[in-house]
Structures are given as structure tokens and as C-alpha cells.
Amino acid sequence: LEKATLSRAAVSGGRQEVDYELRVNGDVFLVDMQVHRRGFSHYMLPDEDAPLECDHKSSLRKSATVSFTAEGSIDVLVVAEVVDIISLDGEPVPLEPLLHDPFEERQTE
């Protein structure tokens, strides 16, 4: 889930809730997964030397649905991400420094 999403922020403190659900649809197995981080007061970006403070109302939510078959087929059906980091003055932190471009990474490999 971490590799499939755009957020580069690592968070410190707060709560992390992880949910998984397995569903069967004929001969296809569907796995719904979600990670929700909230209540943290610091975040760190790869380019920063020190953690940055944020409001404890900040949250990160990442989710995906993946299908599997007995024949070995794996498909990612849905990936979603909500990045809501709030500054100490109550304003949303701009998304640009928080997100990375996965296509840019592929070009440098």
C-alpha cells in the first residue's frame, strides 16, 4: 500500500488503524485493505532534516482493493488516498511537497 500511493510523509505519534477484509466472488478472492493514521503531531518528508509540526487533527488514509485467482492472477482494482495534514494555524498544508510523482522515479531507475 505504501509503494502504490503518492504520499511521501512519514508521521510520528497518534493512532494507526489497519483493516483488511477478504471476500470471495466466484473463483476470485478480493482483499480490501486500509491504513488510517490520525492524531499525529509531527510529519517528516524525505528532503527535510527534522520533523515538521502539524495539528493533531491531521490524518492520512490509504486504501486498496486487490483481486487474486487460484491461477495466480493478481489485479489492483482500486487505490485511494486522502492526505489531510493541517498546519498549527489550522490551514491545510499544501499537497505538492507531500506527494511524489511515481513516473519521475521510474525514469531515474
Side-chain angles (χ1 to χ4, degrees), residues 14-99:
R15 298 182 59 183
Q16 176 172 290
E17 299 167 357
V18 179
D19 295 307
Y20 294 92
E21 180 182 355
L22 174 64
R23 299 179 286 137
V24 180
N25 185 6
D27 62 347
V28 176
F29 299 93
L30 299 169
V31 177
D32 297 311
M33 58 189 96
Q34 175 177 274
V35 175
H36 186 200
R37 296 178 180 104
R38 60 189 172 131
F40 52 89
S41 57
H42 292 84
Y43 67 98
M44 182 111 182
L45 299 174
D47 302 334
E48 298 291 331
D49 294 330
L52 303 168
E53 287 187 271
C54 61
D55 190 281
H56 71 278
K57 295 177 186 167
S58 299
S59 70
L60 292 172
R61 183 186 309 260
K62 301 177 180 192
S63 60
T65 300
V66 179
S67 70
F68 300 88
T69 65
E71 293 79 28
S73 173
I74 301 173
D75 288 311
V76 178
L77 304 176
V78 177
V79 175
E81 180 173 21
V82 178
V83 178
D84 189 23
I85 297 182
I86 309 297
S87 68
L88 291 177
D89 63 3
E91 296 295 320
V93 172
L95 290 177
E96 186 174 300
L98 300 173
L99 306 179

